[in-house]
Amino acid sequence: MKLFHIHTLYDGPQNVHPQWLTGVLGKVICPECYSPMQGTEALDIPVEGRLEDVPLNVAIPIALGLIRLDLLSALGEDEFREYFFVGNVVDSDGKVIEDFFTFAGKSQLIIRGGPNSSHRKCGSCGRQLYHPIGKRYVLKSSLDGRPFYESQLNQIIASEDAASRVMGEAWDFLKITPLSVLDKAQDDRDD
């Protein structure tokens, strides 16, 4: 099985509105790692300032992906929604921004690295926090055959068939990278 990491090259993550964040910390957003808490489904978030017009981005300081409608459509919106919770993005006036959505995986797949990779569990919500260093890969034993996964980096991992839907197109600030699938971990994490 071939997998591809679909990720942003844009280096300006989108800020969420601070008042909104204050209201959701400890309720739907973990107060320690700022990830959506277990049981949280689609999140509608208000952004602060101008929304950056890139196909894929990350909302900060929370750990949530943002996807533009044209990329979502090209990937296959109905199938994508089977594997991700998809919410709305709103401006500071509370108006829905039609061409952008939030996304969070119903299941997360960890992109791993070598022995210098950092990893730990969040002390509050238990989420696995992992930063891969070195050659990136996923473990074969972590796969269940789905076409889409969310990486712990709040980006998309896609099967070859799903990734082929957007390959060969000119997407500004988007990179599609093959991921190795290994039988044995190269890091020091126990699993």
Side-chain angles (χ1 to χ4, degrees):
M1 169 181 238
K2 289 185 178 180
L3 293 177
F4 293 84
H5 187 206
I6 301 173
H7 54 103
T8 188
L9 292 175
Y10 188 71
D11 64 357
Q14 188 69 49
N15 289 313
V16 299
H17 198 281
Q19 286 179 319
W20 174 84
L21 181 59
T22 301
V24 297
L25 277 178
K27 296 173 186 161
V28 295
I29 300 294
C30 175
E32 184 178 329
C33 73
Y34 285 47
S35 296
M37 294 175 72
Q38 190 76 329
T40 300
E41 295 190 356
L43 275 174
D44 295 341
I45 64 162
V47 294
E48 185 176 47
R50 190 178 121 259
L51 182 63
E52 297 300 329
D53 189 17
V54 294
L56 203 58
N57 206 349
V58 177
I60 62 166
I62 63 173
L64 193 66
L66 299 174
I67 189 167
R68 197 170 61 196
L69 179 59
D70 58 343
L71 179 59
L72 178 62
S73 297
L75 287 169
E77 183 174 350
D78 290 339
E79 186 176 41
F80 189 87
R81 286 176 180 268
E82 287 180 43
Y83 301 99
F84 288 90
F85 295 114
V86 178
N88 292 309
V89 178
V90 298
D91 64 20
S92 58
D93 295 325
K95 183 180 175 193
V96 172
I97 300 171
E98 298 292 332
D99 290 340
F100 287 88
F101 300 91
T102 66
F103 68 91
K106 294 179 180 177
S107 175
Q108 198 172 70
L109 182 61
I110 295 177
I111 296 176
R112 297 176 70 158
N116 294 325
S117 298
S118 65
H119 53 89
R120 68 176 179 87
K121 277 194 175 183
C122 173
S124 181
C125 71
R127 181 185 276 261
Q128 190 63 236
L129 305 172
Y130 189 108
H131 181 73
I133 296 175
K135 185 175 179 183
R136 295 179 176 199
Y137 62 93
V138 296
L139 285 179
K140 188 175 188 177
S141 62
S142 301
L143 304 176
D144 63 8
R146 67 183 61 202
F148 295 108
Y149 301 87
E150 179 191 21
S151 76
Q152 80 278 17
L153 306 169
N154 311 108
Q155 303 290 286
I156 301 165
I157 299 172
S159 68
E160 183 174 20
D161 178 57
S164 71
R165 299 170 195 163
V166 295
M167 286 183 189
E169 302 224 7
W171 295 97
D172 290 341
F173 301 109
L174 191 71
K175 187 165 185 176
I176 304 168
T177 308
L179 272 174
S180 297
V181 178
L182 302 181
D183 291 320
K184 187 174 187 287
Q186 306 297 306
D187 56 21
D188 64 355
R189 188 173 153 209
D190 297 327
D191 70 344

